[in-house]
Amino acid sequence: MMSMTGTESEPTRTRGFKKKERTRRLLISAAIEEIASNGEAFTILDVTKRADVSNGTFYNYFDDRTMLVDAVITEVLSAFTDTSAELVTLDDPVRRFATITALLLEHAAANPQMATVMLRLQSTTSTDTRRADPFRHLRHDLNEAAELGRLNREPTDAAVDLVAGALSRAVSRIATVGATDDYRADMIRLLLEGFGLDGPEAEALATEAVAAAPELSRAYLRAEAP
């Protein structure tokens, strides 16, 4: 009898957990849609209306709006940086930087809403909060490349901020009006040359990265699928 009771109660707990997780993700998705449509200054009421749940339900999952924003940051920004790092395991940090950057630009084209959210959250988030930095790979890979002598110029904070600004503009352009492969390759080439990489090698790596991006994007979507 005890064994039967345990067997019968387990599906109930599982169903309850799945329902709670679905509701939590519904609230996060509603917040993402609010940010994409109306900017970061949304209210809890905006989110609950969009998710079609009560304010009381909201507080079953989040203490306040800040906690929800943290969950959105984790969902959107950390998901990209962590998953892309798992997918792109190249030893050369310069090639890795070029490839993940190309994946970011491809992701912006395939998911313009996500790109808009990434940009809006990135613009309101301290650069010291590394988990919320959509260009975290940039900082890590460029620093490693400099340490290995692959780049002739140091990736100072000012230099990295210039690159982050350029990529933000590129992501915005791609998400709103689109951009050709040539544009993406040219952007990556210019970034690499800016850190002193030889022109022909920079062009070759940029072209290679952009060519690999569509397949990587498909792998990314598979990895992110529930």
Side-chain angles (χ1 to χ4, degrees):
M1 289 294 294
M2 289 181 63
S3 174
M4 183 178 294
T5 301
T7 301
E8 289 177 349
S9 63
E10 181 63 28
T12 302
R13 289 198 302 270
T14 300
R15 284 196 297 271
F17 173 80
K18 287 182 178 179
K19 182 178 179 181
K20 287 188 68 174
E21 182 61 19
R22 281 198 302 271
T23 304
R24 182 178 183 277
R25 291 189 67 84
L26 177 64
L27 288 164
I28 292 173
S29 295
I32 289 172
E33 291 172 6
E34 275 297 317
I35 295 168
S37 300
N38 303 313
E40 199 268 343
F42 63 87
T43 66
I44 290 173
L45 183 59
D46 292 330
V47 172
T48 55
K49 280 184 175 179
R50 188 179 285 269
D52 196 23
V53 301
S54 68
N55 275 15
T57 297
F58 175 89
Y59 288 106
N60 288 333
Y61 298 90
F62 303 101
D63 293 340
D64 51 28
R65 181 183 175 284
T66 298
M67 188 175 178
L68 174 61
V69 171
D70 284 344
V72 172
I73 288 171
T74 300
E75 181 80 9
V76 177
L77 305 184
S78 292
F80 177 81
T81 53
D82 294 345
T83 303
S84 60
E86 291 174 5
L87 288 173
V88 183
T89 57
L90 300 166
D91 291 333
D92 178 12
V94 177
R95 180 174 269 107
R96 195 165 62 236
F97 164 80
T99 303
I100 295 180
T101 300
L103 175 57
L104 174 68
L105 301 182
E106 181 75 20
H107 190 57
N111 303 274
Q113 185 189 55
M114 292 296 100
T116 301
V117 172
M118 289 172 73
L119 290 172
R120 285 183 166 169
L121 286 177
Q122 191 263 347
S123 68
T124 59
T125 304
S126 168
T127 54
D128 291 334
T129 309
R130 295 303 187 212
R131 73 176 179 84
D133 185 356
F135 305 126
R136 188 169 65 204
H137 76 279
L138 174 155
R139 303 172 191 277
H140 177 270
D141 293 340
L142 290 179
N143 279 320
E144 183 179 338
E147 290 172 2
L148 293 174
R150 289 281 283 120
L151 301 175
N152 296 329
R153 294 176 186 155
E154 288 294 317
T156 62
D157 286 344
V160 171
D161 284 347
L162 282 173
V163 174
L167 283 179
S168 291
R169 180 70 185 110
V171 167
S172 178
R173 173 189 289 274
I174 291 168
T176 53
V177 299
T180 65
D181 286 354
D182 286 344
Y183 171 88
R184 301 179 202 185
D186 202 32
M187 173 63 70
I188 296 170
R189 175 185 63 79
L190 289 170
L191 294 177
L192 294 175
E193 288 181 348
F195 283 98
L197 194 69
D198 180 67
E201 183 181 9
E203 182 174 2
L205 290 181
T207 302
E208 172 190 287
V210 170
E215 178 55 38
L216 277 173
S217 182
R218 288 189 286 272
Y220 176 90
L221 293 175
R222 289 194 296 270
E224 287 294 287

